[in-house]
Amino acid sequence: MVTLDLRHVASPAVRDLLHLANHPDFDRAQQQIERLGGCAEPVRLTGRTTTVDTTTGEVLRTYTSSDEPTGSLLTACGNRRASRCPACSRLYAADTYHLIRAGPSGGKTVPDTIRTHPRVFATLTAPSFGPVHNRPDARPCRCGTRHELTDPMLGTPLNPATYDYTGAVLFNAYAGALWARFTTYLRRELATRLDLTQKAARAVLRVSFAKVAEYQKRGLVHFHAVIRLDGPDGSTQPPPSYATVAVLTDAIHAAAPRARISITSDAIGERELTWGQQLDVREIAAFGTDSELTDQAVAAYVAKYATKSADASGTLDRSLFCRPCQGRGATLLPHGTALPCTACDGTGQSRPLPRLAVARHVRQMIRTCWDLGRLPEFDHLKLWKWAHMLGFRGHFSTKSRSYSVTLGALRDARHAWRTEQAHAHADLPEPDPTTTLVVGHWDYLGSGYSPGAALLAASVWHRREMERQFTAEGGC
């Protein structure tokens, strides 16, 4: 019999996987990874929980992470970015899809009568900060070239020396505030068109919305939004009959140009931030109609962009700095390499910043964030922290309170279902929440897998992706 010494022919990841496979409790380790569904960067926790019967004081169950094969409990990272974790981002997209679709079509605690409410799909874009390479349908770009869809020049300035990088970064930084002003003016414009005071309009009408941010190739965000009119109590009540789609559309077109933010700075002078001239507003049709813009199509479109981040425009998907100081002592070198953070006191695991392997246009926007972040009048924007997002610091998906179900409610329902399945699988009775108390203490240990466990998690993700594609293609 010939014995092969895999220590000399296998990679460290394979050797680690073999070590894990030979662990006496490998089945439990595999079960943890399977339960995460292929999460790429799980959070590792250490601690314990104790379930106590509050009526008798009896300890019903105990759990400690030290009993796990890896010595820690793995939980999914929950990252929405596909570039960081494909598995968790797919789950986030699915939740966003149901959240968005429930708004115009009902379901998930939203009544089906919502389909009769006026609802539109609106896109608000960023203004121009200088001509960029684009791909017009009928003629070549201004540079004289007809660009391909994958051309990296698309979205970059024709003349970087004259491009308004300061205005571009400030627009991203104030985009969330600009949206808030737009919604304020939208309510005012609706009241004007219905010949009502603002107080009277609030008594008969409510504006509900859900929006998601998308990065354009030029590195600027624009917003896609489902905007709906409800009665004063929200989705359970229809708006008055005179509040129509036409009135809502006209009000949006009037409110967008009125939303403005004025900025005064000794360093850059006076600026006024506005939306771009391109404004698209279309009525959402019911699913099953001949229209291409149905509630299902809108939900799928919005969910797709909810899992993307600035990496879609060629930049970074994580912060450049350690957490405590957010890099206020760091320096960006001309060729794109950043020095280690010198302001950190060591509590944030100070580390050298990575080389910025990004396009010249993106690097200049990040450099502009650096420069503006040093100005005291822009300190509240935290541009150092959000440089990797080109200054944008808002949430990628937000909704008004009465639009539909929340992401938290969807996650709670999924957690309750998984807990029920786990108890059924272990043949344990469901704990009575009125007579049981769970006491726990957890500490953060780190994130990520060992090299071998990472291989196992990747195989779980690829297997589930193949199963999903097979099901989507009509397999059984």
Side-chain angles (χ1 to χ4, degrees), residues 124 181-190 193 249-260 275 279:
L124 286 79
R181 295 203 176 183
F182 162 73
T183 58
T184 297
Y185 283 114
L186 175 58
R187 295 180 179 95
R188 293 177 182 177
E189 292 293 340
L190 283 169
R193 278 151 182 75
T249 301
D250 188 44
I252 292 174
H253 280 283
R258 290 189 63 189
R260 296 172 179 270
W275 295 110
L279 172 63

Short mmCIF file of all heavy atoms in Angstrom, two decimals, residues 124 181-190 193 249-260 275 279:
data_model
loop_
_atom_site.label_atom_id
_atom_site.label_comp_id
_atom_site.label_asym_id
_atom_site.label_seq_id
_atom_site.Cartn_x
_atom_site.Cartn_y
_atom_site.Cartn_z
N LEU A 124 -34.96 59.99 -10.66
CA LEU A 124 -34.35 61.31 -10.53
C LEU A 124 -32.85 61.16 -10.69
O LEU A 124 -32.22 60.34 -10.00
CB LEU A 124 -34.67 61.95 -9.18
CG LEU A 124 -36.10 62.49 -8.99
CD1 LEU A 124 -37.08 61.35 -8.70
CD2 LEU A 124 -36.15 63.50 -7.85
N ARG A 181 -35.84 66.92 0.54
CA ARG A 181 -36.46 68.18 0.12
C ARG A 181 -37.44 67.96 -1.03
O ARG A 181 -38.48 68.61 -1.11
CB ARG A 181 -35.38 69.18 -0.29
CG ARG A 181 -34.50 69.59 0.88
CD ARG A 181 -33.83 70.91 0.66
NE ARG A 181 -33.07 71.30 1.85
CZ ARG A 181 -32.43 72.44 1.97
NH1 ARG A 181 -32.45 73.33 0.98
NH2 ARG A 181 -31.77 72.72 3.08
N PHE A 182 -37.09 67.03 -1.92
CA PHE A 182 -38.00 66.72 -3.01
C PHE A 182 -39.34 66.21 -2.48
O PHE A 182 -40.41 66.62 -2.95
CB PHE A 182 -37.37 65.68 -3.94
CG PHE A 182 -38.36 64.97 -4.81
CD1 PHE A 182 -38.96 65.61 -5.89
CD2 PHE A 182 -38.72 63.64 -4.54
CE1 PHE A 182 -39.88 64.96 -6.68
CE2 PHE A 182 -39.64 62.98 -5.33
CZ PHE A 182 -40.22 63.64 -6.40
N THR A 183 -39.31 65.32 -1.49
CA THR A 183 -40.57 64.80 -0.95
C THR A 183 -41.39 65.89 -0.26
O THR A 183 -42.62 65.87 -0.28
CB THR A 183 -40.30 63.65 0.03
OG1 THR A 183 -39.46 64.11 1.10
CG2 THR A 183 -39.62 62.48 -0.68
N THR A 184 -40.70 66.85 0.36
CA THR A 184 -41.41 67.97 0.99
C THR A 184 -42.13 68.81 -0.07
O THR A 184 -43.31 69.14 0.08
CB THR A 184 -40.43 68.85 1.78
OG1 THR A 184 -39.86 68.09 2.84
CG2 THR A 184 -41.14 70.07 2.36
N TYR A 185 -41.42 69.15 -1.13
CA TYR A 185 -42.04 69.93 -2.19
C TYR A 185 -43.10 69.14 -2.93
O TYR A 185 -44.07 69.72 -3.44
CB TYR A 185 -40.97 70.43 -3.17
CG TYR A 185 -40.19 71.60 -2.66
CD1 TYR A 185 -38.84 71.50 -2.37
CD2 TYR A 185 -40.82 72.83 -2.43
CE1 TYR A 185 -38.12 72.58 -1.88
CE2 TYR A 185 -40.11 73.92 -1.95
CZ TYR A 185 -38.77 73.79 -1.68
OH TYR A 185 -38.07 74.87 -1.19
N LEU A 186 -42.95 67.82 -3.00
CA LEU A 186 -43.97 67.00 -3.66
C LEU A 186 -45.29 67.11 -2.91
O LEU A 186 -46.35 67.26 -3.54
CB LEU A 186 -43.50 65.54 -3.71
CG LEU A 186 -44.51 64.52 -4.26
CD1 LEU A 186 -44.93 64.90 -5.68
CD2 LEU A 186 -43.92 63.12 -4.23
N ARG A 187 -45.25 67.05 -1.61
CA ARG A 187 -46.49 67.19 -0.83
C ARG A 187 -47.10 68.58 -1.01
O ARG A 187 -48.32 68.72 -1.10
CB ARG A 187 -46.19 66.92 0.64
CG ARG A 187 -45.77 65.47 0.92
CD ARG A 187 -45.49 65.23 2.39
NE ARG A 187 -45.11 63.85 2.66
CZ ARG A 187 -43.85 63.43 2.72
NH1 ARG A 187 -42.86 64.29 2.55
NH2 ARG A 187 -43.58 62.15 2.95
N ARG A 188 -46.26 69.58 -1.10
CA ARG A 188 -46.77 70.94 -1.31
C ARG A 188 -47.39 71.08 -2.70
O ARG A 188 -48.45 71.71 -2.87
CB ARG A 188 -45.64 71.95 -1.14
CG ARG A 188 -45.10 72.03 0.29
CD ARG A 188 -43.93 72.99 0.39
NE ARG A 188 -43.39 73.02 1.75
CZ ARG A 188 -42.32 73.74 2.11
NH1 ARG A 188 -41.68 74.47 1.19
NH2 ARG A 188 -41.89 73.72 3.36
N GLU A 189 -46.75 70.51 -3.70
CA GLU A 189 -47.29 70.60 -5.06
C GLU A 189 -48.60 69.84 -5.20
O GLU A 189 -49.50 70.26 -5.92
CB GLU A 189 -46.26 70.06 -6.06
CG GLU A 189 -45.00 70.92 -6.20
CD GLU A 189 -45.29 72.27 -6.83
OE1 GLU A 189 -46.35 72.41 -7.49
OE2 GLU A 189 -44.48 73.20 -6.65
N LEU A 190 -48.71 68.72 -4.51
CA LEU A 190 -49.97 67.98 -4.53
C LEU A 190 -51.09 68.81 -3.92
O LEU A 190 -52.21 68.87 -4.46
CB LEU A 190 -49.82 66.66 -3.78
CG LEU A 190 -49.09 65.53 -4.51
CD1 LEU A 190 -48.78 64.39 -3.55
CD2 LEU A 190 -49.93 65.02 -5.68
N ARG A 193 -52.20 71.50 -6.38
CA ARG A 193 -52.98 71.00 -7.51
C ARG A 193 -54.36 70.50 -7.10
O ARG A 193 -55.27 70.43 -7.93
CB ARG A 193 -52.19 69.88 -8.21
CG ARG A 193 -51.16 70.43 -9.17
CD ARG A 193 -49.97 69.53 -9.36
NE ARG A 193 -49.04 70.20 -10.27
CZ ARG A 193 -48.27 71.22 -9.93
NH1 ARG A 193 -48.30 71.68 -8.69
NH2 ARG A 193 -47.46 71.78 -10.81
N THR A 249 -48.16 62.67 -11.21
CA THR A 249 -47.08 62.85 -12.20
C THR A 249 -46.74 64.32 -12.38
O THR A 249 -45.56 64.71 -12.39
CB THR A 249 -47.51 62.25 -13.55
OG1 THR A 249 -47.78 60.85 -13.38
CG2 THR A 249 -46.41 62.42 -14.59
N ASP A 250 -47.78 65.15 -12.50
CA ASP A 250 -47.55 66.59 -12.66
C ASP A 250 -46.86 67.18 -11.44
O ASP A 250 -45.97 68.04 -11.56
CB ASP A 250 -48.89 67.28 -12.91
CG ASP A 250 -48.71 68.74 -13.30
OD1 ASP A 250 -47.83 69.04 -14.12
OD2 ASP A 250 -49.45 69.59 -12.76
N ALA A 251 -47.23 66.73 -10.25
CA ALA A 251 -46.63 67.24 -9.02
C ALA A 251 -45.15 66.85 -8.92
O ALA A 251 -44.32 67.64 -8.46
CB ALA A 251 -47.39 66.72 -7.81
N ILE A 252 -44.81 65.65 -9.36
CA ILE A 252 -43.41 65.21 -9.34
C ILE A 252 -42.57 66.08 -10.27
O ILE A 252 -41.47 66.52 -9.92
CB ILE A 252 -43.31 63.72 -9.73
CG1 ILE A 252 -43.94 62.85 -8.65
CG2 ILE A 252 -41.85 63.33 -9.95
CD1 ILE A 252 -44.03 61.39 -9.02
N HIS A 253 -43.08 66.34 -11.47
CA HIS A 253 -42.35 67.17 -12.42
C HIS A 253 -42.16 68.59 -11.90
O HIS A 253 -41.16 69.25 -12.21
CB HIS A 253 -43.09 67.20 -13.76
CG HIS A 253 -42.86 65.99 -14.60
ND1 HIS A 253 -41.70 65.80 -15.32
CD2 HIS A 253 -43.62 64.89 -14.84
CE1 HIS A 253 -41.75 64.65 -15.97
NE2 HIS A 253 -42.91 64.08 -15.70
N ALA A 254 -43.10 69.07 -11.10
CA ALA A 254 -42.98 70.42 -10.54
C ALA A 254 -42.08 70.45 -9.31
O ALA A 254 -41.39 71.45 -9.06
CB ALA A 254 -44.37 70.96 -10.19
N ALA A 255 -42.09 69.39 -8.52
CA ALA A 255 -41.34 69.38 -7.26
C ALA A 255 -39.84 69.17 -7.47
O ALA A 255 -39.03 69.74 -6.73
CB ALA A 255 -41.89 68.29 -6.34
N ALA A 256 -39.45 68.35 -8.46
CA ALA A 256 -38.03 68.03 -8.65
C ALA A 256 -37.16 69.26 -8.86
O ALA A 256 -36.12 69.42 -8.20
CB ALA A 256 -37.88 67.04 -9.81
N PRO A 257 -37.52 70.20 -9.77
CA PRO A 257 -36.65 71.38 -9.94
C PRO A 257 -36.67 72.35 -8.76
O PRO A 257 -35.76 73.16 -8.62
CB PRO A 257 -37.20 72.04 -11.21
CG PRO A 257 -38.60 71.55 -11.34
CD PRO A 257 -38.61 70.18 -10.76
N ARG A 258 -37.67 72.26 -7.90
CA ARG A 258 -37.73 73.15 -6.74
C ARG A 258 -36.80 72.70 -5.62
O ARG A 258 -36.41 73.51 -4.78
CB ARG A 258 -39.16 73.23 -6.20
CG ARG A 258 -40.14 73.96 -7.11
CD ARG A 258 -41.47 74.18 -6.39
NE ARG A 258 -41.31 75.04 -5.21
CZ ARG A 258 -42.27 75.26 -4.32
NH1 ARG A 258 -43.46 74.64 -4.46
NH2 ARG A 258 -42.07 76.05 -3.28
N ALA A 259 -36.45 71.42 -5.60
CA ALA A 259 -35.58 70.89 -4.54
C ALA A 259 -34.15 71.35 -4.79
O ALA A 259 -33.51 70.96 -5.78
CB ALA A 259 -35.66 69.37 -4.51
N ARG A 260 -33.63 72.18 -3.92
CA ARG A 260 -32.28 72.73 -4.07
C ARG A 260 -31.61 72.82 -2.70
O ARG A 260 -32.27 73.02 -1.69
CB ARG A 260 -32.33 74.12 -4.70
CG ARG A 260 -32.88 74.11 -6.12
CD ARG A 260 -33.09 75.51 -6.67
NE ARG A 260 -33.60 75.45 -8.04
CZ ARG A 260 -32.83 75.42 -9.12
NH1 ARG A 260 -31.51 75.48 -8.98
NH2 ARG A 260 -33.36 75.36 -10.32
N TRP A 275 -31.32 68.52 -8.87
CA TRP A 275 -31.46 67.30 -9.66
C TRP A 275 -31.11 67.61 -11.12
O TRP A 275 -31.16 68.76 -11.56
CB TRP A 275 -32.87 66.75 -9.59
CG TRP A 275 -33.30 66.29 -8.25
CD1 TRP A 275 -34.22 66.87 -7.44
CD2 TRP A 275 -32.81 65.15 -7.54
NE1 TRP A 275 -34.34 66.17 -6.26
CE2 TRP A 275 -33.48 65.11 -6.29
CE3 TRP A 275 -31.87 64.16 -7.81
CZ2 TRP A 275 -33.24 64.12 -5.35
CZ3 TRP A 275 -31.62 63.18 -6.87
CH2 TRP A 275 -32.31 63.15 -5.66
N LEU A 279 -35.68 63.51 -16.02
CA LEU A 279 -36.63 63.04 -15.01
C LEU A 279 -37.66 62.16 -15.71
O LEU A 279 -38.34 62.60 -16.64
CB LEU A 279 -37.32 64.23 -14.34
CG LEU A 279 -38.47 63.92 -13.39
CD1 LEU A 279 -38.00 63.09 -12.21
CD2 LEU A 279 -39.14 65.20 -12.92
#
